[in-house]
Amino acid sequence: MARRALITGVTGQDGMYLSEFLLAQGYDVFGLVRGQNNPKATLLAEEVPDVRQIAGDLMDPSSLQRALALAEPDEVYNLGAISYVAYSWENPHVTADVTGKGVLNMLAACLTYTGGDHSRVRFYQASSSEMFGKAQEIPQRESTLLWPRSPYGVSKVFGHYMTINYRESYGMHASSGILFNHESPRRGPEFVTRKITRAVARISLGVQSELTLGNLDAQRDWGYAGDYVEAMWLMLQQPEADDYVIATGVSHSVRDFLDAAFAHVGIADWSRYVRTSPHLMRPADVDRLLGDATKARTHLGWRPRVPFEDLVRMMVEHDLKEQWTLHVR
Ligand code: GDR
């Protein structure tokens, strides 16, 4: 019989890549979809039509129980969250409810669903490098002290430790993937990489004249989302649940990203197109993230395939096509 997976956050970038990956492995894939008339659900139905959508909300425990009863999953991937860090200062309570307490709601629903038979389901929690925040060592690994710098990061820390707690308290096969930034042409335009690649495409086509950003000196370890979802799956195939850092081991600044993206459309000096605004600076930013994924490499056999330059090229090329279709053709 085909294995069954339930994914929360299925309409997001990672949810879509993970759905495609699991469907290709022969899984029956179920996705929790929030809200009425959700446009992202329509997009999911178009892009990955074989996902079976179930209505539910991480803040509504009864809907989670119902989703588990309908999907009868062997594996649960909890990717659902309010994921935009800057927004979390403006809406800290709802971020804590969804990104933090939502994890507890899902873990508790899974525990009920197992009915005491812990082998019935395996659980993946989407933890984040934002938990390292004011990084206490470079590079960051599983043992690095967590020092989150945003309501989002604090909420993710809650979810991370709750996952560990369910593993230790109830013997659940619950793993936490500490994923560093991962991008793709499916990345939302509010995140800096996609904001840049989209603007670069529009500037090169003459439909936008400038791009306003915040902190250009922030450094991130950027990988390709398509590579990272495979690591999620690998974690759930291990005999024992555990926590893993998933990263490329190379970090770049926002400036480096601008260099690479503009270079791709033949613009060497981007300074006349880019300005910065204090409104886009965060109350407390994370200066530098760099991950050490040695444990994932040795235990899971996972390694990233797409390097930084190829990632930027992939995103700019996608946006050039998309913007050309929208504005020029
Ligand atoms: P991040 O991603 O906060 O790392 O979280 P984001 O792309 O939003 O920011 C990265 C860095 O770029 C700086 N920056 C800007 N960011 C945005 N969004 N917009 C701007 O105009 C801008 N200018 C500069 C930021 O200050 C920051 O330093 C992402 C999310 O996907 C999280 O959900 C996830 O957990 C982590 O990655 C790993």
Side-chain angles (χ1 to χ4, degrees):
M1 241 177 56
R3 280 192 287 172
R4 299 160 77 91
L6 173 64
I7 304 173
T8 74
V10 70
T11 59
Q13 165 190 266
D14 294 5
M16 286 201 197
Y17 282 113
L18 180 63
S19 297
E20 287 170 341
F21 177 82
L22 294 175
L23 287 164
Q25 307 275 325
Y27 278 72
D28 288 337
V29 177
F30 298 81
L32 192 77
V33 175
R34 188 170 49 91
Q36 194 183 342
N37 205 6
N38 179 346
K40 289 176 88 183
T42 312
L43 184 69
L44 174 70
E46 281 165 17
E47 290 208 14
V48 201
D50 291 337
V51 172
R52 291 188 237 172
Q53 300 190 12
I54 301 177
D57 193 311
L58 282 172
M59 291 203 283
D60 181 346
S62 65
S63 77
L64 302 181
Q65 286 180 10
R66 182 176 154 272
L68 287 162
L70 283 170
E72 293 189 76
D74 304 295
E75 296 172 10
V76 170
Y77 294 87
N78 188 43
L79 315 185
I82 291 181
S83 63
Y84 184 36
V85 175
Y87 171 93
S88 76
W89 277 280
E90 287 154 27
N91 299 276
H93 292 87
V94 75
T95 302
D97 283 345
V98 179
T99 304
K101 199 174 160 206
V103 185
L104 170 60
N105 291 342
M106 197 69 219
L107 282 163
C110 284
L111 192 66
T112 308
Y113 165 71
T114 64
D117 172 10
H118 299 145
S119 63
R120 191 163 170 206
V121 75
R122 294 184 172 197
F123 180 87
Y124 171 82
Q125 169 56 20
S127 288
S128 163
S129 54
E130 276 296 301
M131 302 191 307
F132 295 121
K134 192 174 170 186
Q136 298 297 296
E137 63 176 336
I138 296 172
Q140 296 90 48
R141 45 182 74 89
E142 293 78 6
S143 57
T144 302
L145 181 72
L146 304 180
W147 196 306
R149 295 265 282 172
S150 61
Y152 168 85
V154 173
S155 306
K156 279 286 178 188
V157 170
F158 175 86
H160 177 66
Y161 279 119
M162 211 33 108
T163 303
I164 294 171
N165 187 254
Y166 265 62
R167 182 166 78 220
E168 293 181 353
S169 304
Y170 305 110
M172 258 177 69
H173 193 294
S175 291
S176 177
I178 307 173
L179 269 55
F180 282 61
N181 298 51
H182 43 288
E183 318 294 312
S184 75
R186 282 176 170 156
R187 190 59 145 147
E190 67 274 36
F191 298 97
V192 76
T193 55
R194 187 78 197 288
K195 186 173 172 182
I196 292 172
T197 60
R198 191 183 256 199
V200 163
R202 290 167 60 86
I203 287 168
S204 85
L205 295 172
V207 292
Q208 183 172 332
S209 54
E210 63 177 25
L211 164 66
T212 307
L213 296 171
N215 178 8
L216 303 187
D217 297 317
Q219 294 181 35
R220 290 291 183 277
D221 180 332
W222 277 298
Y224 171 54
D227 290 345
Y228 284 35
V229 298
E230 195 172 340
M232 301 176 186
W233 175 77
L234 284 167
M235 286 177 216
L236 298 204
Q237 311 317 306
Q238 305 309 306
E240 301 294 332
D242 208 339
D243 309 315
Y244 297 91
V245 160
I246 302 298
T248 68
V250 183
S251 79
H252 292 274
S253 66
V254 174
R255 277 176 210 284
D256 296 337
F257 199 100
L258 285 162
D259 283 342
F262 273 103
H264 195 62
V265 295
I267 298 173
D269 175 14
W270 43 261
S271 59
R272 66 196 170 103
Y273 299 108
V274 178
R275 60 185 199 91
T276 56
S277 162
H279 301 296
L280 293 171
M281 302 290 179
R282 298 180 178 178
D285 205 356
V286 169
D287 297 331
R288 182 169 188 215
L289 291 176
L290 176 65
D292 175 0
T294 304
K295 183 174 169 186
R297 198 165 53 244
T298 50
H299 291 219
L300 306 176
W302 178 85
R303 42 181 90 235
R305 294 196 187 93
V306 179
F308 178 75
E309 292 71 22
D310 293 358
L311 173 65
V312 179
R313 185 178 319 121
M314 179 200 303
M315 292 176 70
V316 174
E317 274 172 11
H318 171 274
D319 283 335
L320 279 169
K321 272 196 209 112
E322 191 172 270
Q323 294 300 321
W324 171 269
T325 311
L326 284 172
H327 297 285
V328 183
R329 203 177 62 179

